Amino acid sequence: SNGKVIEIINDLLNAEKTGNINWGYNFKKESIVKLIEDVINNFSSIALKNNINLYLARPENKIPDIEMDFMKINTVLSILVENALNYSLNSGEVIITPEYKNKYIQVSIKDRGIGIPQEEKKRIFSRFFRGKNAIKILTNGTGIGLSIARNIIKIHEGKIWLESEKGKGTTFYFTIPYHKRHK
C-alpha cells in the first residue's frame, strides 16, 4: 500500500512538472465492483483486528464497467477505506456502496467513527491538513492522502466530497463520469 502511494505521489509531482495532468495514467474499461472487492480483501485483516465490519453494499442493478485507471482509483479507495478504519470506533462498520446514476458511477464510503468538525470540513482536502480529533486518535500521518484522492478524481473528471458530523461518522463520496475518454 505504501509503495503504491509513493508511486502515485511521484506521478502527481511529475504530472505537475510537465503540465500534463494525464501523465502516468492508464485508462481502461474496468469493473468498479471488482476493484471494491479487491480493496475490501486488502483491508479485511485490519477490519477484523479492530472488530469493524467492512463490506460492500451490493447494488440492486448491475454496474457497467467504466473507463478509469484501475491502480489510481484503487489508491483513492484505499485512502478512504484506511481513513474510515483508522477513525472508526471498535465494533463499528464501514460500508462501501457503488451506484450507477445516469451519466456517472458514484461510490460512497460510510463509517460511524469520530466524524469531522464543521469548522474543519473546508480544509479536509488540503495538503498536509489533519483534523484535531484525528491527530488525537492517530498521531502519525502526513495529511496528504485526501489531497491525493482529490487530484486523482479530478483527473478522472469526477467529484469528491463528504458529509460528516463530529462524533457520528463520515461518508465520503466520489464520482467518475460514464463516458469514453478521448486520448
Side-chain angles (χ1 to χ4, degrees), residues 17-126:
K17 278 191 255 181
T18 64
N20 180 358
I21 63 168
N22 289 328
W23 189 87
Y25 280 72
N26 183 19
F27 289 93
K28 288 193 272 185
K29 271 205 176 228
E30 303 276 1
S31 167
I32 193 75
V33 174
K34 164 88 171 80
L35 177 53
I36 293 167
E37 290 169 343
D38 288 353
V39 169
I40 288 172
N41 187 47
N42 290 341
F43 284 95
S44 62
S45 62
I46 295 169
L48 186 62
K49 178 183 161 194
N50 293 322
N51 201 25
I52 297 171
N53 187 13
L54 171 63
Y55 64 94
L56 165 66
R58 295 228 173 250
E60 290 180 20
N61 300 322
K62 182 176 176 358
I63 295 185
D65 290 353
I66 189 165
E67 235 174 272
M68 65 178 164
D69 183 309
F70 191 88
M71 292 308 296
K72 301 292 193 293
I73 298 300
N74 180 301
T75 298
V76 170
L77 277 165
S78 294
I79 288 166
L80 296 174
V81 168
E82 184 174 22
N83 283 350
L85 292 171
N86 284 339
Y87 301 116
S88 284
L89 308 172
N90 282 344
S91 302
E93 67 180 2
V94 175
I95 308 162
I96 306 172
T97 308
E99 296 178 79
Y100 176 58
K101 297 187 169 209
N102 199 10
K103 295 183 181 182
Y104 56 91
I105 303 289
Q106 177 177 297
V107 177
S108 65
I109 299 88
K110 180 179 183 171
D111 68 57
R112 294 190 180 142
I114 63 171
I116 300 166
Q118 183 65 35
E119 64 276 7
E120 293 181 350
K121 286 181 190 177
K122 62 184 175 281
R123 296 185 56 211
I124 204 72
F125 293 104
S126 301

